[in-house]
Amino acid sequence: MGQGQKPFVCTICDKSFSISSGLVKHLRIHTGEKPYTCSVCAKCFRQKTHLDKHKITHSEEKFFFCWECGIRSSSATDHAKHKLIHSSVKPFSCSECQRRFRWKSSLLEHMRIHTGEKPFSCSQCTKTFRWKSSLVEHERVHSIDKLFSCTECAKSFYKRSNLEQHQRTHTGERPYACSDCGKVFTYQSELLKHLRSHSGEKPYTCSVCGKCFSSMSNLGNHQHIHTGVKSHACTECDKRFAQKSALIKHFRTHTGEKPYECPECGKSFCRKSNLKQHVRSHSGEKPFSCVHCEKSFITKAHLARHQATHEEEKPFICAHCGQTFAQYSTFVQHEKIHKDVSPFSCSDCGKVFSEKSGLEKHFRTHTGEKPYSCLECGKCFSVNSALINHRKVHTGEKPFSCTMCLKSFSQKSHLDRHSRLIKHEAVHQGNKPFSCTECEKSFNWKSSLVEHTRLHTGEKPYVCPDCGKSFTRRSSLVTHYRIHTGEKPYVCIDCGKGFTDSSNLVKHHRTHTGERPYTCSECEKTFTDSSNLIAHQRVHSGEKPYVCSDCEKSFTLISNLVTHQRAHTGERPYGCTECGKKFSRSSHLATHQRAHRGERPFSCVECGRRFTQISNLIAHQRAHTGLRPYTCTACGKSYTQRSNLIEHQRTHTGERPYVCNECGKDFNQNSSLIKHRKVHLKHVETV
């Protein structure tokens, strides 16, 4: 036989051998035949040499002793291999990537990564593998028997190690802990990957562009960028993906499947990573910390965004306008401005958006959908960020603090507004840089000045679409519109009463707690809200800043002026739905409606008499106490009600403000005018 000839060929895989015994041994791989059996444990082997090595494991005699660790080896070859563990020598080097190995067999296995060789094929399905161990594991798929079963869920596994790993999902065991940060993991492979986040090690390098990665899977994903191969196509929209896992995630956008559910609030997600991030909003965990300022973040992307503010590196440059960006995602969105790309358009109003998420948020303004609801009060929101901000109302959380004055805020935007450089200094130095040219009143914020200026100009740009009433502030319009919709989103947890705005709820809540935090410095009288205190202080100062333009009568409160002006205009905006009677004040309407319902909610504790108005009850109670707080300064006569004092004082002043439209006769009491009018009515009837 000539040198190099291999006349003995395997009929199954075409591998050739120089001697027939080599072919015979090889065929046993395909047939599975193991003719050599151990007499001690009945284990079978394909080759006699393997059986001989195995028998030594039963013998107490092991010939080769390691002086480093005390381990004995059964053969000189095994002993030589073992000694390399203690040595730093890696004599076998890969010619492709220069990686070094202790053993030649490890180098040969590694080389298959570069050559793509997969010499081990499955006899059942012809699938090929780089390593024999991978083939052995795969062949168990074709076997009916799965030897290792879980006692909790009856799931079966081919390997005991897989069963042990699976059982941790039931026990919650995480035996692998990070020595740097204490984080624990279910699998050792996860711990190894995590450790690289501390060490910064990225051992996997792309051979095309030289970019490094901390895991082999990330390198594999990256390499698809260079090859451009996207072998996995979506059957619904023909979109293609480089990875099957990416296709599976994408397909959920068509099916609407959200298999990952939050155990805290029940919210579902289509990706496990999104659920993991969401759970941190409940736990408060922020695992990603900035090395510059120790600030922590929920996601790695948020950390990367933040770190760019320290590094001031903006590597992404717009070719159209030269603007630079720290994040690639922001750069991509900016480029759409120049390309005029807005692929997502609203079918109702035609407004276009560069991102699908923007369109989805916008569309809720048409549908009125508010999918995010507060578990505390049931209030719903159209965007999740609004719900997160709202929750802080219940928790009282104010996580954003000013470093100069230590004032806390519930939202970062409020802190940003407070701490903007120029305005921030103005707040702390007592400066108010924005002054009104009409009355020289000063403000910290330009927006406050703009709102104030409308008081002088009379501008009311926010108009109610239902009744046409206009407002100087948008927030006032929003609160007003709830009168038409009947919405009262702020509910008292003590009595269930609802309110159109939160400030009224806060004031109302003080009726339960008895809290009166605002105290007059003159007489020490206390009030539940600041506006009542301000109005009361004008009693001491005599100030009446609100003047009627028709009769020049002045008032301490603007609300009293508005009500008074209706006497000139005849406006009665509050109508009774039962009888159609109209009133100039809402309080008068509320009192009137009690007459229809027969409701008398105010009861005297002395005699049990009931009243429709609290003012009538207070006046009645003075009959029991004998209190007469209203005293005439002219004659000293006192009265239980202020209205009685005013009528009495007209006897001193001679004022007769009630005039008959028919004959011009005047009276000092309204009741006298009403009686007088009946004279004219009787005259008309007789005629």
Side-chain angles (χ1 to χ4, degrees):
M1 187 185 299
Q3 190 176 2
Q5 288 182 333
K6 294 183 178 181
F8 303 100
V9 181
C10 174
T11 56
I12 297 173
C13 65
D14 295 329
K15 193 172 183 179
S16 56
F17 300 87
S18 56
I19 54 175
S20 61
S21 60
L23 174 60
V24 170
K25 291 176 183 177
H26 167 77
L27 282 169
R28 289 173 188 154
I29 295 172
H30 298 296
T31 62
E33 182 188 5
K34 295 181 178 182
Y36 303 100
T37 305
C38 176
S39 58
V40 178
C41 65
K43 192 172 183 180
C44 298
F45 300 89
R46 290 192 184 96
Q47 298 182 35
K48 188 175 183 297
T49 55
H50 293 170
L51 174 61
D52 292 339
K53 283 183 182 179
H54 169 76
K55 281 181 178 179
I56 295 171
T57 61
H58 296 298
S59 171
E60 292 183 1
E61 185 179 359
K62 294 189 178 179
F63 305 99
F64 300 94
F65 180 79
C66 176
W67 296 100
E68 296 286 338
C69 62
I71 285 180
R72 294 175 181 271
S73 303
S74 58
S75 67
T77 307
D78 291 343
H79 181 59
K81 285 182 178 179
H82 171 77
K83 282 171 68 177
L84 289 172
I85 295 172
H86 303 295
S87 170
S88 60
V89 177
K90 294 183 178 180
F92 304 101
S93 174
C94 173
S95 58
E96 295 286 336
C97 64
Q98 310 305 316
R99 192 175 174 184
R100 304 187 71 83
F101 300 88
R102 288 193 177 93
W103 301 293
K104 188 178 180 181
S105 58
S106 300
L107 172 61
L108 293 173
E109 288 182 351
H110 166 77
M111 286 295 292
R112 290 172 190 151
I113 296 171
H114 299 295
T115 61
E117 182 188 5
K118 295 183 178 181
F120 303 100
S121 60
C122 175
S123 58
Q124 300 286 330
C125 64
T126 68
K127 195 172 182 180
T128 56
F129 301 88
R130 287 194 183 96
W131 300 291
K132 187 179 178 181
S133 59
S134 300
L135 172 61
V136 171
E137 280 189 26
H138 167 77
E139 283 176 334
R140 289 178 180 146
V141 174
H142 299 296
S143 171
I144 297 173
D145 297 328
K146 291 184 178 180
L147 302 177
F148 306 100
S149 297
C150 176
T151 55
E152 295 286 337
C153 63
K155 196 172 182 181
S156 300
F157 299 89
Y158 298 110
K159 297 171 72 176
R160 181 183 292 276
S161 59
N162 291 346
L163 171 62
E164 289 172 352
Q165 289 180 0
H166 165 77
Q167 284 175 328
R168 290 174 191 152
T169 61
H170 298 297
T171 62
E173 182 189 7
R174 294 186 173 190
Y176 303 100
C178 174
S179 57
D180 287 338
C181 65
K183 194 172 181 181
V184 291
F185 299 89
T186 309
Y187 308 112
Q188 188 179 23
S189 57
E190 291 177 341
L191 172 60
L192 293 173
K193 286 180 184 177
H194 168 77
L195 285 170
R196 290 174 188 147
S197 67
H198 295 297
S199 65
E201 182 189 5
K202 294 183 177 181
Y204 303 99
T205 306
C206 175
S207 57
V208 179
C209 65
K211 194 172 182 180
C212 298
F213 299 87
S214 58
S215 67
M216 185 74 178
S217 58
N218 291 346
L219 172 60
N221 295 339
H222 165 79
Q223 285 175 330
H224 290 299
I225 297 170
H226 299 300
T227 60
V229 176
K230 295 184 178 180
S231 54
H232 304 283
C234 175
T235 55
E236 294 288 334
C237 63
D238 296 328
K239 197 171 182 180
R240 303 186 72 84
F241 299 88
Q243 299 171 317
K244 188 177 180 181
S245 60
L247 171 61
I248 292 169
K249 290 173 184 175
H250 163 78
F251 201 68
R252 288 174 187 149
T253 61
H254 298 296
T255 62
E257 182 190 7
K258 293 184 176 182
Y260 304 103
E261 185 175 307
C262 175
E264 293 285 336
C265 64
K267 190 175 181 182
S268 299
F269 300 86
C270 59
R271 297 188 178 193
K272 190 177 181 180
S273 58
N274 292 347
L275 171 61
K276 192 179 287 186
Q277 288 179 14
H278 167 78
V279 167
R280 290 174 187 150
S281 67
H282 296 297
S283 65
E285 182 191 6
K286 294 183 178 182
F288 304 99
S289 299
C290 175
V291 294
H292 299 288
C293 64
E294 297 182 357
K295 195 172 182 181
S296 298
F297 299 88
I298 290 175
T299 66
K300 192 175 182 180
H302 291 165
L303 171 62
R305 230 175 265 166
H306 165 77
Q307 284 179 327
T309 61
H310 293 296
E311 297 164 2
E312 294 186 356
E313 183 185 353
K314 295 184 177 180
F316 305 103
I317 303 171
C318 176
H320 300 282
C321 64
Q323 192 172 343
T324 57
F325 300 88
Q327 287 92 36
Y328 180 71
S329 57
T330 313
F331 168 62
V332 170
Q333 287 181 19
H334 169 79
E335 279 198 318
K336 290 174 182 175
I337 297 170
H338 298 295
K339 295 177 182 178
D340 197 25
V341 176
S342 297
F344 304 102
S345 62
C346 176
S347 57
D348 283 357
C349 64
K351 194 172 182 180
V352 292
F353 298 86
S354 58
E355 294 186 353
K356 188 179 180 182
S357 59
L359 172 61
E360 288 172 350
K361 289 177 184 177
H362 164 79
F363 201 65
R364 290 174 190 147
T365 61
H366 297 297
T367 62
E369 182 190 7
K370 294 183 177 182
Y372 305 99
S373 61
C374 175
L375 299 176
E376 294 286 336
C377 63
K379 191 174 181 183
C380 298
F381 300 87
S382 57
V383 291
N384 190 37
S385 58
L387 171 60
I388 292 168
N389 288 337
H390 166 77
R391 279 177 183 157
K392 292 167 186 170
V393 174
H394 299 295
T395 61
E397 181 189 4
K398 293 185 176 182
F400 306 101
S401 298
C402 173
T403 55
M404 290 187 71
C405 65
L406 302 180
K407 189 175 181 181
S408 298
F409 300 87
S410 59
Q411 298 182 37
K412 187 175 183 293
S413 59
H414 295 172
L415 173 62
D416 290 342
R417 185 184 179 197
H418 168 78
S419 57
R420 286 186 194 117
L421 185 58
I422 299 173
K423 296 179 180 179
H424 185 92
E425 289 175 356
V427 172
H428 296 293
Q429 293 171 6
N431 298 328
K432 294 184 177 182
F434 304 100
S435 298
C436 174
T437 55
E438 296 286 337
C439 63
E440 296 183 356
K441 194 173 181 181
S442 299
F443 300 89
N444 290 321
W445 322 114
K446 189 177 180 181
S447 58
S448 301
L449 172 61
V450 171
E451 287 183 354
H452 167 78
T453 304
R454 289 174 187 150
L455 296 176
H456 299 295
T457 62
E459 182 191 6
K460 294 183 177 182
Y462 304 102
V463 182
C464 175
D466 283 2
C467 65
K469 193 173 181 180
S470 55
F471 301 87
T472 55
R473 297 182 181 184
R474 186 176 180 275
S475 58
S476 301
L477 171 60
V478 171
T479 303
H480 162 80
Y481 197 68
R482 290 174 184 148
I483 296 171
H484 300 295
T485 62
E487 182 190 5
K488 293 184 177 182
Y490 304 98
V491 180
C492 176
I493 57 175
D494 289 320
C495 64
K497 191 174 181 180
F499 298 89
T500 55
D501 65 280
S502 59
S503 60
N504 287 344
L505 172 59
V506 171
K507 291 174 187 176
H508 165 80
H509 196 64
R510 290 174 185 148
T511 63
H512 296 294
T513 61
E515 182 189 7
R516 299 171 78 88
Y518 303 99
T519 305
C520 175
S521 58
E522 295 286 336
C523 64
E524 296 186 355
K525 191 174 181 181
T526 56
F527 299 88
T528 54
D529 63 274
S530 59
S531 59
N532 289 346
L533 171 61
I534 292 168
H536 165 77
Q537 285 173 330
R538 290 174 185 149
V539 174
H540 298 296
S541 65
E543 182 189 7
K544 292 185 177 182
Y546 304 103
V547 181
C548 175
S549 57
D550 291 319
C551 65
E552 296 186 356
K553 191 174 181 179
S554 56
F555 300 87
T556 55
L557 294 172
I558 192 171
S559 58
N560 291 345
L561 171 60
V562 171
T563 303
H564 164 78
Q565 285 174 328
R566 289 174 186 150
H568 298 293
T569 62
E571 181 190 7
R572 295 190 170 197
Y574 305 101
C576 176
T577 55
E578 295 285 335
C579 63
K581 193 174 182 180
K582 293 183 177 294
F583 299 88
S584 59
R585 298 187 183 192
S586 61
S587 59
H588 292 174
L589 172 61
T591 303
H592 167 80
Q593 285 175 330
R594 289 176 188 142
H596 291 296
R597 296 192 295 265
E599 183 183 351
R600 290 172 175 262
F602 305 103
S603 174
C604 176
V605 294
E606 294 288 336
C607 63
R609 191 175 173 185
R610 304 184 72 86
F611 300 88
T612 55
Q613 300 182 63
I614 193 170
S615 58
N616 293 344
L617 171 61
I618 293 168
H620 164 78
Q621 284 174 332
R622 289 173 187 149
H624 296 294
T625 61
L627 179 67
R628 291 173 172 258
Y630 304 102
T631 304
C632 176
T633 55
C635 65
K637 195 172 182 181
S638 57
Y639 296 88
T640 56
Q641 297 187 49
R642 186 169 176 266
S643 58
N644 293 342
L645 171 62
I646 292 170
E647 287 181 357
H648 164 77
Q649 285 174 329
R650 289 173 188 150
T651 61
H652 297 294
T653 62
E655 183 187 5
R656 302 170 72 88
Y658 302 101
V659 181
C660 177
N661 295 329
E662 296 288 336
C663 64
K665 193 174 182 180
D666 52 15
F667 302 87
N668 62 0
Q669 293 183 28
N670 190 36
S671 58
S672 301
L673 172 61
I674 292 169
K675 285 179 184 178
H676 167 78
R677 279 176 178 166
K678 291 175 182 177
V679 174
H680 296 293
L681 289 171
K682 285 180 182 179
H683 178 70
V684 172
E685 288 174 2
T686 56
V687 173

